[in-house]
Amino acid sequence: MQIDYIEDEEFEGIDFTSNAFKKGEYENCTFTNCNFAEVNLSKTTFIDCIFDNCNLSAANVNGTAFQEIQFSNCKLMGLRFEDCNTFLFAVTFTNCLLNLSTFYKLKLKNTRFTNCSLQQVDFTEADLSSADFTDCDLLHTTFDNTILEKADFRTALNFSIDPERNKLKKAKFSTASLAGLLAKYDLQID
């Protein structure tokens, strides 16, 4: 079976829920205002691509490769990133909605989440060393046996992290957010 190779193309305003998505390898492509909601993206490779203002909620990403991908202003609800091809997996998220997504056991070193909603996201056993959560909402997000060394939570909101169940060496927190590290103790902090 021959794999389609698409390079340096721009896709704008395409609704892939009604227009068939062509599987293949996309390199240095830009997707703007595209709808991939519940679309089967399995076994597709994206390299150095930009997704801007796209909806990828509940898309099938089984075996999908995301290598050096930028997601901006995207809706990525319910994505199972742990099902992706992990070879050279590298993503950044800016102004994205990632609620209910899972990153179970993924290597996410140096990943940047900027101004994102990460409510009820599962980071169990993920490696988030040096990750940046600038201005992110982490309400009910799960961190369990997660490597958070040197991660930056200084401007993150609503997180609850158990220091006894996660690796936090040199992680960064603001004094205002320390309550998120003590939540399990049910303390009254003023």
Side-chain angles (χ1 to χ4, degrees):
M1 183 172 107
Q2 184 172 344
I3 297 174
D4 288 318
Y5 180 75
I6 300 97
E7 184 179 20
D8 299 324
E9 289 208 25
E10 293 187 18
F11 300 87
E12 188 164 352
I14 301 173
D15 185 352
F16 290 108
T17 63
S18 55
N19 296 304
F21 176 76
K22 185 189 289 187
K23 290 187 182 188
E25 186 171 313
Y26 293 82
E27 186 166 358
N28 200 35
C29 292
T30 302
F31 299 88
T32 306
N33 298 316
C34 293
N35 186 7
F36 296 91
E38 299 183 26
V39 170
N40 185 356
L41 301 175
S42 65
K43 309 248 188 281
T44 300
T45 299
F46 297 99
I47 303 168
D48 292 318
C49 292
I50 296 171
F51 290 84
D52 185 27
N53 204 35
C54 293
N55 183 0
L56 289 91
S57 294
N60 178 350
V61 291
N62 190 30
T64 303
F66 288 118
Q67 301 171 6
E68 298 300 327
I69 304 303
Q70 295 177 35
F71 293 100
S72 298
N73 307 301
C74 290
K75 189 174 178 183
L76 303 136
M77 292 182 59
L79 278 187
R80 299 181 55 86
F81 286 98
E82 73 271 15
D83 292 341
C84 290
N85 180 340
T86 58
F87 181 70
L88 299 176
F89 182 86
V91 292
T92 61
F93 302 96
T94 305
N95 300 318
C96 291
L97 182 62
L98 288 142
N99 298 353
L100 305 168
S101 293
T102 57
F103 293 88
Y104 178 68
K105 285 191 173 183
L106 271 182
K107 290 190 183 346
L108 299 161
K109 290 182 179 182
N110 300 305
T111 300
R112 295 185 56 84
F113 299 89
T114 305
N115 197 36
C116 293
S117 180
L118 293 153
Q119 294 183 9
Q120 299 182 43
V121 169
D122 186 358
F123 286 115
T124 300
E125 296 184 31
D127 183 350
L128 287 158
S129 302
S130 299
D132 187 339
F133 291 94
T134 298
D135 297 324
C136 290
D137 183 356
L138 299 163
L139 185 68
H140 302 301
T141 290
T142 303
F143 296 98
D144 189 28
N145 201 25
T146 306
I147 301 171
L148 299 167
E149 294 173 349
K150 298 182 183 175
D152 190 343
F153 291 93
R154 288 178 292 186
T155 59
L157 304 168
N158 301 320
F159 63 84
S160 179
I161 299 172
D162 184 344
E164 295 172 17
R165 297 194 52 84
N166 297 283
K167 295 180 181 175
L168 293 169
K169 188 174 184 178
K170 297 193 178 181
K172 300 172 186 138
F173 299 91
S174 69
T175 53
S177 67
L178 289 178
L181 296 172
L182 303 170
K184 82 175 203 168
Y185 300 109
D186 196 24
L187 303 173
Q188 182 82 25
I189 299 171
D190 295 322

